[in-house]
Amino acid sequence: MVLVESHGEKDDSNEGTVVDFRGNPVDKSKTGGWLAAGLILGSELSERICVMGISMNLVTYLVGDLHISAAKSATIVTNFMGALNLLGLLGGFLADAKLGRYLTVALSASITALGVILLTLATTIPSMRPPYCDDYRRKHHECIEANGRQLALLYAALYTTALGGGGIKSNVSGFGSDQFDVGDPKEEKAMIFFFNRFYFGISLGSLFAVIVLVYIQDNVGRGWGYGISAVTMVIAVAVLICGTPWYRFKKPQGSPLTIVWRVLLLALKKKNQPYPSHPSLLNDYDNRKVPYTPRFKFLDKAAILDDNCAANAEKNNPWLVSTVTHVEEVKMVIKLLPIWSTCILFWTIYSQMTTFTVEQATIMHRKIGSFVIPAGSFSAFLIISILLFTSLNEKFFVPLARKITHNPQGITSLQRIGIGLVFSVAAMVGAAIIEKERREIAVEKEVKISAFWLLVQFFLVGAGEAFAYVGQLEFFIREAHIYLSRVICKVIIPLFFLILLIKLCNIVGDIFTYLAQ
């Protein structure tokens, strides 16, 4: 029998004990690999179909069917997306601290399926919608807006979906990578291809959602569109559970979030303690796994051994004193905050593609002959752009950059992020020019311009994501410390959406208020 070894601190993907579903050491010939990873990937593919099928076209349902104002509709959509990503923090914590990735993904997928079923009911039951409003009453703002009772089921469905989707997002890629042993060169190479296919797969799922599901929602019925998503998610849950005998499992090792706030709490608690004469007197200094740094010295107080800890030999109790290793890892998080913060504006711009730009498309000319393209389906061009520029990066841009910079990577991770931010700036400049022309022509000539002008911002934002998102992954996973990568992915990125949730709703709300005038 060939066993998978535990590599400890060597790599996050093989941290902890690896066992099969019976709790025994795994047989590599019967577990893991592409079969197990493929079954797991189905959960994320289905989650992406559900979320994209909801978010890309929800604003048109809120405005057109529920008669909610454009500003309030945009707020509802951004709240849903913010909650989806913020709840990834909870999913990651539960998986690391108690449940493990498999149970968390399985439970989260089941919750997502329940949420989409509720959404199907909310959009199908006639009593859950206000009376139909014709164009004349709409122009004179006489439509009856959905009341609280009608919105209650919708909100319950959206936030149930967000709860499940957050748990899937934060764990499915890690659970998939658990199926490969980085100590085996063949499996390590396969794991790299897994991440490539993972990203490509969720992009295809998104493309299916914005083209097929959005069309069904607009032309056949919302219930049918969301019903297909619900069936897809139920099938994904069944496939995930049926694949249990082929998975490799890693026991929970504790949440990195716990270590972060514990270090901060101990540093605050010991703020009046004097610094030791030399850093070597800090707790577990000789066994540190990362180099000691003097920056953010105030955090060192968390590792100070006071008389009580030394006398009672409680230096191994993490609730009384931290180790130098944990303190340094928290310092790493703080050092990377400026780099992380530069991505806030990019993802703010990206979020507008599901609200402001979709609403723009609804009041522009969308016909090709007699066929009317659904407003939400224009988001397909965003995904096509991401796939196009992701391929061009590897086939054209990186080889060209290698010749110019003589760097094996072509350009550094931070340069990729910088290029993505430049693309996002260009996208907003183009969007502003197009919106200015659209308003002027609509007011002065009462003519709708073609919605295909929106392709400018879709392609530029897609190009920006292809550079910025890949740059972030490379920087936080390849260049940063392994523990730090886990904290960034499971703690800092979800916390960013809390800020986005507060700021973006105000920004988008102001924009729609202006457009509605």
Side-chain angles (χ1 to χ4, degrees), residues 179-286:
Q179 310 309 310
F180 303 94
D181 176 17
V182 295
D184 184 331
K186 184 178 179 181
E187 290 201 10
E188 183 179 22
K189 184 178 179 180
M191 187 176 69
I192 296 173
F193 282 108
F194 166 76
F195 284 113
N196 291 336
R197 293 174 186 178
F198 175 83
Y199 186 68
F200 189 79
I202 62 176
S203 297
L204 287 179
S206 301
L207 195 61
F208 171 81
V210 299
I211 292 178
V212 179
L213 293 184
V214 168
Y215 177 83
I216 293 174
Q217 291 166 16
D218 282 0
N219 294 276
V220 180
R222 291 275 168 174
W224 282 100
Y226 295 139
I228 292 172
S229 298
V231 171
T232 301
M233 200 70 238
V234 170
I235 293 174
V237 172
V239 170
L240 178 71
I241 295 175
C242 289
T244 302
W246 292 284
Y247 301 143
R248 299 173 186 173
F249 303 87
K250 291 186 177 176
K251 296 181 179 179
Q253 300 294 307
S255 173
L257 177 61
T258 303
I259 296 174
V260 172
W261 73 261
R262 191 165 57 201
V263 168
L264 295 175
L265 184 64
L266 286 172
L268 180 63
K269 184 179 178 180
K270 299 182 179 184
K271 63 181 180 179
N272 295 324
Q273 291 274 0
Y275 288 103
S277 57
H278 191 271
S280 61
L281 298 176
L282 295 172
N283 184 38
D284 208 33
Y285 180 86
D286 294 333

Side-chain angles (χ1 to χ4, degrees), residues 105-118:
V105 171
L107 289 173
S108 298
S110 301
I111 293 172
T112 302
L114 174 62
V116 184
I117 290 172
L118 291 175

